[in-house]
Amino acid sequence: MQGLAASWKLYGRTDGVSRGVFGVLAVLLPLLVWSAVSYLPFVWHPQVLITDPGGEDYLESGMRMNRADFSRAVTEMQAKNEPVPQGIAANPVYLPSPGEVLTAFVHAFTSSAPTGAEHSITQAFGHSIQIIFWGFLISSLIGVPLGVMCGALPGLARLVEPSVDFFRYLPAPAFGALAVAILGIYDAPKIAIIVIGTLFQQILVIANTTRKLDFALIEASRTLGAKGLKLLFRVVIPGILPDIYRDQRILLGWAWTYLIVAELIGTSSGITWFITQQARYQHFDNVYAAMAIIGIAGLGTDMVLGLLGRRFFAWKREIDG
């Protein structure tokens, strides 16, 4: 209890038990709110799901309508002494219950047949993973070395960073038509959009991280005779490596954001196209399941990278406390 209380103090510290409790609550609280909205009619349920249209011609079983419109239909049928429509309180079709989404989620991994218009969730997501892998890899192969050199060489930074600063304000989707015209309609323009959306930010972030290296280390190394590439590879890069690793974890999240934009152009494939198609046919349980897969994959990847980072840079964690 003392650990939980300390967590609510300004700049307080959380112990292992408190972190576990908050972790469980972080998952349960949104699920409880979603379940209450989905299963308790008095919480929201602004519509009525028609179970029996009665004497009303324009109603059909399975149709949803607002409560006020349903009440008017009931009143009209009562005035005509005809069978009144019957229905149950329901939410709009775009808000499925947790049970429906869980069923769609499980079905995505247990069914061998496509569940969507043309692709299953797993097929679409697997294709998106390939797109984001190549996009982030290409961006990192260019952005990380260039960012380090810009941070270490003031002259190069003066030449490169003004242009990079200009391009980073240009929205990546604006390059969509140009990317399709140059690279075609398949996966290449999607990869290009991820590279454009990530690269310019990556150069500036890595350069800024490089400049934050303790200058006393540089001075001490120069005093001991280190210079040039020896200074770069034996002092600068080892000194900033943990922070670059942290930056890459954050930038990977940005790449996921640009993936959604990238998949709206070119060929019809990937998780974004799957979500768009499922929403068009009002299969919102599949939409939520696909979104959950993206979130789980992103969070899981970041957790794995975090664990690896603590293993690779244990000395840095000890310094940070």
Side-chain angles (χ1 to χ4, degrees):
M1 294 300 294
Q2 290 181 348
L4 289 173
S7 302
W8 295 101
K9 294 180 181 178
L10 292 175
Y11 299 102
R13 299 181 68 88
T14 55
D15 55 20
V17 175
S18 301
R19 286 194 290 271
V21 171
F22 285 124
V24 172
L25 290 178
V27 175
L28 287 182
L29 287 178
L31 286 177
L32 288 174
V33 172
W34 186 12
S35 298
V37 172
S38 300
Y39 297 121
L40 301 177
F42 57 86
V43 174
W44 192 38
H45 286 59
Q47 295 186 339
V48 175
L49 177 65
I50 305 299
T51 57
D52 182 357
E56 193 62 82
D57 295 334
Y58 68 89
L59 295 181
E60 294 179 359
S61 296
M63 175 182 176
R64 296 171 192 252
M65 63 188 306
N66 293 330
R67 282 185 171 184
D69 296 332
F70 179 76
S71 298
R72 278 195 292 272
V74 171
T75 302
E76 289 175 1
M77 291 300 98
Q78 288 174 337
K80 294 178 182 177
N81 289 324
E82 295 183 8
V84 297
Q86 304 292 325
I88 56 176
N91 281 331
V93 68
Y94 59 76
L95 185 63
S97 67
E100 293 172 320
V101 175
L102 179 62
T103 301
F105 187 88
V106 173
H107 186 68
F109 291 95
T110 57
S111 174
S112 58
T115 58
E118 293 183 13
H119 301 290
S120 70
I121 297 178
T122 50
Q123 287 175 329
F125 189 66
H127 187 84
S128 296
I129 290 290
Q130 297 177 34
I131 298 295
I132 198 169
F133 171 79
W134 288 112
F136 192 69
L137 178 63
I138 294 172
S139 175
S140 298
L141 289 177
I142 302 171
V144 173
L146 188 56
V148 172
M149 295 308 296
C150 286
L153 295 175
L156 183 63
R158 295 285 182 182
L159 285 175
V160 173
E161 290 192 13
S163 300
V164 172
D165 216 12
F166 170 78
F167 280 106
R168 81 184 177 99
Y169 283 105
L170 303 181
F175 293 88
L178 185 62
V180 170
I182 297 173
L183 301 172
I185 61 172
Y186 297 103
D187 291 339
K190 301 177 183 179
I191 296 173
I193 292 297
I194 294 176
V195 173
I196 293 170
T198 309
L199 175 63
F200 302 117
Q201 310 287 347
Q202 200 168 26
I203 293 172
L204 297 177
V205 169
I206 299 296
N208 191 50
T209 294
T210 306
R211 294 191 188 99
K212 288 183 178 178
L213 179 64
D214 189 353
F215 199 70
L217 289 174
I218 305 296
E219 291 295 326
S221 302
R222 284 174 173 167
T223 302
L224 295 173
K227 59 182 180 180
L229 293 178
K230 187 175 182 181
L231 178 65
L232 178 66
F233 285 103
R234 302 193 64 175
V235 178
V236 175
I237 292 179
I240 62 175
L241 203 54
D243 294 325
I244 289 180
Y245 187 84
R246 179 205 57 207
D247 292 341
Q248 289 291 90
R249 286 174 57 192
I250 297 172
L251 288 162
L252 181 59
W254 290 7
W256 273 102
T257 302
Y258 286 109
L259 170 71
I260 303 302
V261 175
E263 288 186 336
L264 293 176
I265 65 172
T267 54
S268 301
S269 60
I271 194 68
T272 307
W273 182 82
F274 177 85
I275 290 174
T276 303
Q277 291 299 307
Q278 296 300 312
R280 180 175 298 173
Y281 297 115
Q282 296 193 344
H283 298 159
F284 287 100
D285 51 347
N286 288 334
V287 171
Y288 281 81
M291 293 168 64
I293 290 175
I294 295 174
I296 292 171
L299 178 62
T301 303
D302 190 68
M303 291 178 67
V304 170
L305 292 176
L307 291 173
L308 292 175
R310 284 194 286 273
R311 185 177 181 83
F312 294 154
F313 311 112
W315 54 273
K316 179 67 176 180
R317 182 178 53 165
E318 291 173 0
I319 292 174
D320 292 341

